[in-house]
Amino acid sequence: MSSLHSEIPTPSLTGFTLPLMAAAGLGFGYIVGTAHGQPLIGALAGAVLSAALGYVLASFVPDRRTGRLGTAAVAGIAGFAMAGTSGLVAGAIIGLVLSWFAYWLSTGDYRRSVPSYATAGDVLWSNSFKFICGLIFFFLIAPIVVVLPLSFNAQDFFTFTPKMLAFDPEGYSLKHYRDFFSNPDWTRPLKNSFIIAPLATIISVSLGTLAAIGLSQSHVPGRRAIMAVLISPMIVPLIISATGMFFFYSKLGNWMEGNLGMSKDFIGYVKVILAHSVLGIPFVIITVTATLVGFDRSLTRAAANMGAGPVRTFFKVQMPLILPGVISGGLFAFITSFDEVVVVLFVGSAAQKTLPWQMFIGLREQISPTILAVATVLVTFSVLLLATLELLRRRSERLRGMSPT
């Protein structure tokens, strides 16, 4: 395959690289010009300067590192002269992007992902597809990225203040994080979330793993129908599931209180944990079932021939191989329970108020900027969990003899 990508033709500088550089500069110039009330002048200046940058980098600066750093420095200085510190950051970013784009075009790197015999249409589609994927990723991640700097706002606002836009240190503060970790209105829901979510995850993993193993047996009658019923909480609208859980668990709670003498607060925790377990079981079933697809069942038969019982075979042979799928399902179940708010509103009470419930109250009853800090903490926590899932996926592929992708 290396021979297919070894010969990359050098594109025309004046007929290809410079026009595309001018188009890119036109877009950036229009944005900068609009910010200063002169979009047309900004677009024209951006196109000319970008084309000149492409010519200089392609003709006189072959070293990419030097060219990119130098462009970022010059663009940053120009941005600082126009808009201060915020202009410095924006200018440096624009310089890095345009310099990378110039080298990407002038050296023919845009063809490296396609075979050398690919037509111009193939190259255009390949790079357009990547660009579309990048836009989709930006569309999904941009609302989350905006929240992160807002959580450091020194004022009680949900918008960027002039000091924040100017990168003035006085415009930033950790007071919302201090309020989150010191205010009982937030620490109690956080404690409840870390009580309910782990217990619900344990139940979901235990029942979901057993169900997935049982449904993976070909001799189980009606296993497709059973699978559809077990994963139905993922398909049925949550408000309908929450309504059904309310009527079911209210009867269960009354029975537990009247016949077992349990306190209302304890029963409330039991109801929420069981309800969240129902929501998490489908995720465990799906991930464990996917892992069992590549499981070699001759290993369990060999263990049985050696005298191992079903329980010992499961924990010594089967469980280590499907463990990545089990942990992945458990993480999904944990996230589902930790982020869930609708079912808690129906099934729980004020004593079981979770972190999402408190965030909902903070938006509905009082606009609390602490929500931004909580959102940032939850995003960071979710990213760490997703990174763990990716590591487990790669480990699962290696255990099954596959090359990680």
Side-chain angles (χ1 to χ4, degrees):
M1 289 296 292
S2 60
S3 61
L4 298 178
H5 304 275
S6 57
E7 297 179 1
I8 299 177
T10 302
S12 171
L13 180 61
T14 57
F16 180 78
T17 301
L18 297 187
L20 291 179
M21 284 294 298
L26 185 73
F28 281 114
Y30 178 80
I31 296 174
V32 176
T34 302
H36 290 80
Q38 296 178 328
L40 181 59
I41 296 177
L44 294 176
V48 173
L49 293 175
S50 182
L53 173 66
Y55 178 79
V56 172
L57 293 180
S59 303
F60 304 106
V61 190
D63 184 67
R64 297 192 183 198
R65 181 180 179 85
T66 302
R68 295 191 65 185
L69 292 179
T71 303
V74 173
I77 294 173
F80 181 78
M82 290 189 294
T85 307
S86 58
L88 171 66
V89 176
I93 294 175
I94 293 175
L96 288 173
V97 173
L98 287 178
S99 58
W100 170 84
F101 191 57
Y103 286 116
W104 186 67
L105 293 174
S106 62
T107 59
D109 282 351
Y110 63 92
R111 295 187 62 96
R112 291 192 181 277
S113 60
V114 297
S116 57
Y117 55 78
T119 63
D122 295 334
V123 177
L124 178 62
W125 166 244
S126 176
N127 291 293
S128 298
F129 179 75
K130 294 178 181 178
F131 179 73
I132 293 172
C133 292
L135 285 180
I136 295 174
F137 177 78
F138 175 79
F139 176 77
L140 294 174
I141 205 71
I144 299 175
V145 173
V146 171
V147 171
L148 302 183
L150 281 176
S151 65
F152 298 96
N153 194 346
Q155 303 297 324
D156 294 335
F157 300 142
F158 276 73
T159 57
F160 290 96
T161 61
K163 289 186 177 181
M164 292 186 69
L165 295 176
F167 291 95
D168 188 343
E170 295 183 357
Y172 296 86
S173 173
L174 295 175
K175 69 174 186 177
H176 302 314
Y177 289 91
R178 288 193 292 267
D179 181 60
F180 172 53
F181 290 108
S182 61
N183 191 338
D185 291 339
W186 290 101
T187 55
R188 280 196 299 266
L190 179 64
K191 179 182 177 180
N192 285 336
S193 293
F194 276 109
I195 292 175
I196 294 171
L199 294 176
T201 301
I202 293 173
I203 297 175
S204 299
V205 169
S206 302
L207 299 180
T209 302
L210 293 176
I213 294 174
L215 293 173
S216 65
Q217 306 296 323
S218 59
H219 63 274
V220 176
R223 56 187 183 131
R224 293 185 181 276
I226 298 174
M227 174 72 79
V229 173
L230 290 178
I231 67 174
S232 61
M234 295 179 61
I235 304 171
V236 177
L238 191 57
I239 188 68
I240 297 177
S241 299
T243 304
M245 291 177 182
F246 168 76
F247 289 105
F248 176 79
Y249 288 117
S250 62
K251 298 291 185 181
L252 178 63
N254 292 335
W255 181 86
M256 294 174 65
E257 184 179 1
N259 294 273
L260 302 180
M262 297 181 178
S263 64
K264 289 185 177 181
D265 288 345
F266 180 79
I267 294 174
Y269 280 106
V270 172
K271 292 191 295 184
V272 174
I273 291 171
L274 293 178
H276 281 187
S277 300
V278 173
L279 299 178
I281 285 176
F283 293 96
V284 180
I285 292 176
I286 289 175
T287 56
V288 176
T289 301
T291 306
L292 287 170
V293 170
F295 180 74
D296 187 2
R297 302 191 181 280
S298 62
L299 297 175
T300 57
R301 290 193 293 269
N305 290 333
M306 296 297 292
V311 176
R312 185 176 179 84
T313 300
F314 172 74
F315 284 105
K316 294 295 184 180
V317 177
Q318 196 169 18
M319 190 63 178
L321 294 177
I322 67 172
L323 186 60
V326 174
I327 297 178
S328 299
L331 290 177
F332 278 117
F334 182 86
I335 294 174
T336 301
S337 175
F338 201 85
D339 293 341
E340 203 283 322
V341 63
V342 178
V343 171
V344 180
L345 289 173
F346 275 78
V347 178
S349 62
Q352 294 84 44
K353 184 186 296 183
T354 59
L355 196 57
W357 186 349
Q358 180 64 29
M359 294 177 69
F360 177 75
I361 293 176
L363 287 173
R364 186 185 64 177
E365 299 180 359
Q366 56 178 353
I367 305 301
S368 174
T370 308
I371 296 174
L372 300 174
V374 179
T376 302
V377 173
L378 292 181
V379 167
T380 305
F381 185 63
S382 299
V383 169
L384 293 176
L385 289 180
L386 291 175
T388 304
L389 284 176
E390 177 62 17
L391 295 175
L392 290 173
R393 184 187 68 83
R394 291 173 177 268
R395 180 180 182 272
S396 178
E397 291 180 350
R398 286 194 298 268
L399 289 175
R400 289 186 290 172
M402 302 170 59
S403 58
T405 56

